[in-house]
Amino acid sequence: QSALTQPASVSGSPGQSITISCTGTSSDVGGYNYVSWYQQHPGKAPKLMIYDVSNRPSGVSNRFSGSKSGNTASLTISGLQAEDEADYYCSSYTSSSTSYVFGTGTKVTVL
Amino acid sequence: QVQLQQWGAGLLKPSETLSLTCAVYGGSFSAYYWSWIRQPPGKGLEWIGEIDHSGSTNYNPSLKSRVTILIDRSNNQFSLKLISVTAAETAVYYCASRISGAAAGNWFDPWGQGTLVTVSS
């Protein structure tokens, strides 16, 4: 199974909005509303930020939102803050192997 | 609130067997799938496989021939064994959970703290 494709890096100034894309196929992202997003700070375990494309777990800031169109899912961070600087990974269920696949990861830099 | 704590050997030689254990605290042990995920240094995440409370497993096809995930219901623990490791499998290995049952979730939360396993001769 191939990893989902994400941009290597995205940057923005404090207060701005940024969007991270996650591109897969009809066997994963496009075929199911089972995309999740994780934030990972250096040396830490990933933290769930979005599940089932657009749902936020309790305790996650409403500055984080998710969406999907076709085979591409997106994570938008609005009102960018210094604490948002981290790596972000998408994940999706894949029917090609009845398993889970992660994205290549995106480093978000707050300028 | 489920919490996961993991441990295991951190240094292996090529061809040896990787063995990690993850203990589950809080929540219902039978209400989740228990997963292992790894991350090579500076690289992305890779799903290894999972087990449910009945012992039913599902593995990443690329690792299936070398992976075993077991469950210990009496101690609320699950474990990972990966045979014949190579240097390329040096990574931080995480345990994680996924809700099972009628409200099954397709996301991983929470995660263990991670264990760095280095494979080197």
Side-chain angles (χ1 to χ4, degrees), chain A residues 62-76:
Chain A
N62 59 9
R63 298 185 297 103
F64 291 84
S65 61
S67 62
K68 190 186 84 167
S69 177
N71 294 339
T72 298
S74 298
L75 174 71
T76 298

Side-chain angles (χ1 to χ4, degrees), chain B residues 73-97:
Chain B
R73 297 176 201 82
S74 61
N75 289 306
N76 279 15
Q77 297 175 359
F78 61 105
S79 62
L80 169 69
K81 291 191 187 305
L82 178 64
I83 65 172
S84 304
V85 295
T86 68
E89 294 181 295
T90 292
V92 175
Y93 286 74
Y94 294 99
C95 57
S97 62

Side-chain angles (χ1 to χ4, degrees), chain B residues 34-59:
Chain B
W34 305 105
S35 300
W36 290 97
I37 296 163
R38 68 182 180 181
Q39 184 175 35
K43 296 188 178 180
L45 299 162
E46 180 181 31
W47 182 79
I48 298 171
E50 65 185 10
I51 190 168
D52 71 10
H53 72 282
S54 71
S56 178
T57 55
N58 186 23
Y59 298 131

Side-chain angles (χ1 to χ4, degrees), chain A residues 47-97:
Chain A
K47 173 189 175 184
L48 177 69
M49 304 302 283
I50 295 287
Y51 66 94
D52 288 352
V53 175
S54 60
N55 294 290
R56 267 190 319 276
S58 174
V60 172
S61 171
N62 59 9
R63 298 185 297 103
F64 291 84
S65 61
S67 62
K68 190 186 84 167
S69 177
N71 294 339
T72 298
S74 298
L75 174 71
T76 298
I77 309 174
S78 58
L80 199 61
Q81 298 180 1
E83 67 206 50
D84 301 332
E85 188 162 289
D87 294 326
Y88 291 82
Y89 293 91
C90 60
S91 177
S92 175
Y93 170 79
T94 173
S95 60
S96 63
S97 54

